[in-house]
């Protein structure tokens, strides 16, 4: 059997003009998950990242734990990119079209975080409904096709007993886990909200078919003295 470790990126720069960049804490998380991976498994035969900066930064930090043991070169593929949350928000409400306008809109809210989550959930539900596909640069069905295409390509590439690390985002991880578990789209988004930064999801390939071996493993950040490293953005 071949094995795929899906690693969610470290904490991004939520609330900043450029979300797609690790925070200082995110860099630390990436280093910690690298040591966690190195303690439990040998170096991978294949390393893939999405093309987003936070994916590449997470991979760069994490792979340092393997020293010169990494023989595989890192491949970047847009198949593993996250959905465009800003475009989804903007299609739902023009006041949420950019990070700056979102921040301005939420400035007067009594509970900005709660207000944002309510609007985000409604925006995602609208996108996933499939009724407004023309409003988005990438529809929900196109997103699913892209991610599953990336998984199929990787599955065909891996030989028996080989291992791959994929540094990606919560959306692709949730989508692949959904397919393995057979849960509906509502449960998928609930799952997505629980994925921690630099959590590890393990997929086992048997006769080319993916099976979920573990979901969102984050023992690297467990313990009272490590609470600050347990984040979700």
């Amino acid at each position: 059997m071949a094995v795929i470790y899906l690693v969610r990126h470290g904490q991004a720069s939520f609330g900043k003009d450029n979300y797609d960049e690790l925070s200082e804490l995110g860099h630390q998380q990436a280093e910690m998950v690298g040591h966690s991976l190195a303690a439990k498994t040998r170096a991978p035969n294949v390393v893939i990242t999405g093309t987003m900066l936070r994916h590449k930064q997470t991979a760069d930090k994490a792979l340092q734990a393997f020293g010169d043991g990494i023989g595989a070169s890192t491949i970047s593929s847009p198949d593993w990119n996250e959905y465009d949350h800003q475009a989804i928000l903007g299609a739902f409400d023009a006041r949420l079209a950019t990070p700056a306008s979102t921040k301005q809109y939420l400035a007067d809210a009594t509970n900005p975080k709660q207000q944002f989550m309510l609007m985000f959930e409604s925006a995602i539900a609208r996108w996933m409904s499939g009724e407004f596909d023309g409003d988005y640069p990438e529809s929900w069905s196109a997103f699913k096709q892209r991610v599953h295409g990336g998984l199929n390509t990787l599955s065909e590439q891996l030989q028996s007993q080989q291992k791959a690390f994929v540094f990606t985002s919560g959306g692709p991880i949730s989508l692949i886990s959904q397919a393995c578990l057979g849960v509906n789209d509502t449960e998928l988004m609930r799952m997505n909200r629980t994925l921690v930064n630099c959590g590890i999801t393990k997929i086992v390939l048997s006769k080319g078919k993916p099976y979920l071996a573990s979901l969102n493993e984050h023992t690297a950040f467990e313990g009272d003295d490590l609470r600050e490293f347990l984040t979700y953005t």
Side-chain angles (χ1 to χ4, degrees), residues 56-162:
K56 296 177 180 180
Q57 289 177 324
T58 302
D60 288 344
K61 279 286 185 181
L63 295 176
Q64 290 176 10
F66 290 86
D68 296 331
I70 294 289
S73 58
T74 300
I75 302 168
S76 294
S77 169
D79 289 341
W80 296 97
N81 285 352
E82 184 63 288
Y83 51 76
D84 188 341
H85 75 279
Q86 205 70 59
I88 292 169
L89 285 166
F92 175 73
D93 190 318
R95 294 171 295 183
L96 307 176
T98 67
S101 64
T102 301
K103 188 183 298 185
Q104 182 178 2
Y105 171 71
L106 295 173
D108 296 328
T110 303
N111 188 328
K113 184 175 181 181
Q114 183 181 49
Q115 179 69 15
F116 175 79
M117 286 308 301
L118 287 172
M119 299 194 77
F120 181 74
E121 289 173 3
S122 296
I124 289 291
R126 182 182 189 272
W127 175 57
M128 294 174 70
S129 73
E131 298 177 16
F132 310 94
D133 286 355
D135 292 349
Y136 305 100
E138 181 179 51
S139 67
W140 166 241
S141 60
F143 172 68
K144 291 194 293 185
Q145 184 177 3
R146 167 168 64 81
V147 173
H148 285 304
L151 177 63
N152 291 337
T153 298
L154 176 57
S155 299
E156 292 170 358
Q157 177 184 355
L158 286 178
Q159 300 175 14
S160 179
Q161 306 303 315
Q162 286 194 326

Side-chain angles (χ1 to χ4, degrees), residues 36-72:
S36 181
L37 285 166
K40 66 173 53 123
T41 187
R42 67 182 187 276
N45 305 96
V46 177
V47 179
I48 298 178
T49 74
T51 62
M52 294 174 161
L53 179 60
R54 60 188 184 272
H55 300 155
K56 296 177 180 180
Q57 289 177 324
T58 302
D60 288 344
K61 279 286 185 181
L63 295 176
Q64 290 176 10
F66 290 86
D68 296 331
I70 294 289

